[in-house]
Amino acid sequence: MLSGQQSRSLAQIFDSDAVLVSESDRTHYGQDWSRFISPDPAAVVFPKEVSQLKALIALARSSQIGLVPSGGRTGLSGGATAANGEIVVSFERMNRVLDFDADSRMVKVEPGVITQHLQQFAIDQNLYYPVDFASSGSSHVGGNIATNAGGIKVLRYGLTREWVAGLEVVTGNGDYLSLNQGLVKNATGIDQRHLFVGSEGILGFTSSAWMRLTEAPQPLRVMLLAVPSMRIALSVLSICQSHLNLTAFEFFSQEALMHVREHLSLSSPLSDAPFYVLCEFEQHRGGEAGLSDAMAVYTKLSEKSWVSDGVIAQSERENQSLWRYREGISEAITSRTPYKHDLAVRISQAPEFLEAVEAAIQNAALPFEIVWFGHIGDGNVHLNILRPEDWSVARFMKACQPLGLQIMQVVARFDGSVSAEHGVGLLKKDYLPFSKSDSERAMMRRIKQVYDTDGVMNPGKILD
Ligand SMILES: Cc1cc2nc3c(=O)[nH]c(=O)nc-3n(C[C@H](O)[C@H](O)[C@H](O)COP(=O)(O)OP(=O)(O)OC[C@H]3O[C@@H](n4cnc5c(N)ncnc54)[C@H](O)[C@@H]3O)c2cc1C
């Protein structure tokens, strides 16, 4: 609940329709896609100007209330969840394209621009914005920057960080900083832009960003392959990388395919196999060369018995149909409240890592179904532990936490990451020590203090 003084102060900063306090609005805006922590914010506000962000920071500092930046709320770690009476700061209404510099191939956007709208803006300019994933129709550029979002094209184009050419922020101390202004070269000491990318809103608000665009790839084609093991999937990756211009290389398990097929009532694309890989590659101009290269790759893989079945899309429509088997997985398992682990290891270690994690889960002897999928082309695997249908969410969560710690021991053994691209938020905090040393975490705390001395920005996220 806001105090009377806080309500009056908000009324001085915002029009009345930009402050929401009803229970349904607070619940709606107070949580991200993860559903393990109940939201309980005091209010939701919708800034449109930097001056309002500065005024909010001043209010938060003087009245010791936390501020939770909120984008499209598709986050999977509770980073945008407000569970302790904070003010949710939604960027939904800061969603303008501010500038376009065609020669520099850059566009300046407000943080509330939806990722897919940025992709479309690029297409309209005959250019391309490559960061893409299943939630890009809802996520915001500001949220993507704050989580350093990755997705399906990282193998070729890298993470969001690569595309942030300049960043304007309001820090937790209320300072407005314009960082790197879209420059390609700028050797003037510490590039603070990169501290904000991936910082999950704990240092300040992103108020606008210069995003790089690039030239569009040639028309793309998709090939879906059935593979007998993860080890062989990596050999398949190596062959595909040598012969095709890959833009994505994804994998999913047979269990994942089963859930998607059930959820979307789809027929089986291929005969049964433990794993499937989906590779997307550029056709050469004219379209023929890329396809014949893919056919040659497929023949080679079949001769080695590295694939047991496969299909190559013959049109854009067939591309989309094949992508549905991969992109539909998250949605298909949502009703089972999946406990998601977003893990990364070096690409070469992925098969051994999967086996070690499966062994840890088996040791725990819990009746859990597991579903693997992810971006194997960059070493990022998503492990989804599904809630047994007759278990309550609370019981499931309680069992997943100690199991999570055992899985993290495996991650640490492999020098991996406990969060590849989903951030730490509230849900992965206990896991952080498995990836970041005591000294690194202590440094992170000190950096936060520099930008957010009173700790008003996204309190309790990443670090206690
Ligand atoms: C079906 C599905 C598939 C997904 N696939 C992928 C994937 O392949 N790759 C991937 O990386 N992620 C994926 N995600 C996770 C999610 O979409 C990304 O983390 C995304 O970047 C979150 O953006 P958002 O706008 O929804 O942010 P939110 O969830 O609203 O917020 C995320 C974090 O950003 C902070 N934040 C938001 N806006 C600002 C701002 N203006 N200033 C400062 N901090 C801010 C929030 O406080 C929070 O900490 C997936 C999610 C779903 C539901």
Side-chain angles (χ1 to χ4, degrees), residues 225-227 250-252 254 257 270-273 275-278:
L225 303 168
V227 294
E250 300 280 304
F251 89 107
F252 49 91
Q254 191 176 36
L257 176 64
L270 300 174
S271 53
D272 284 355
F275 294 102
Y276 300 88
V277 295
L278 182 151

Side-chain angles (χ1 to χ4, degrees), residues 31-34 67-81 89 91 111-113 115 131-136 138-152 154 159-160 196 199-208 250 326-327 329-331 334 340 342 373 375 380 382 420-423 425 457-458 461:
Q31 63 189 328
D32 63 9
W33 185 278
S34 64
L67 301 172
V68 176
S70 168
R73 301 184 313 282
T74 66
L76 297 169
S77 300
T81 295
V89 184
F91 286 91
V113 166
T115 315
V131 177
D132 194 18
F133 35 81
S135 54
S136 56
S138 306
S139 77
H140 292 182
V141 175
N144 299 162
I145 293 170
T147 53
N148 190 22
I152 54 181
V154 170
L159 294 110
T160 300
F196 281 82
S199 66
E200 299 183 52
I202 69 166
L203 304 181
F205 297 113
T206 291
S207 56
S208 67
E250 300 280 304
R326 162 64 186 87
E327 297 254 87
I329 301 170
S330 285
E331 189 75 49
T334 299
K340 287 173 176 290
D342 167 37
F373 64 93
H375 318 294
N380 176 192
H382 297 312
E421 56 177 14
H422 294 165
M457 286 306 305
N458 222 357
K461 308 295 162 54

Side-chain angles (χ1 to χ4, degrees), residues 222-226 269-270 277 279 298 309-314 318 322:
V222 170
M223 177 161 67
L224 187 64
L225 303 168
L270 300 174
V277 295
C279 45
Y298 181 68
D309 200 359
V311 55
I312 303 176
Q314 299 300 318
E318 287 183 23
L322 292 180

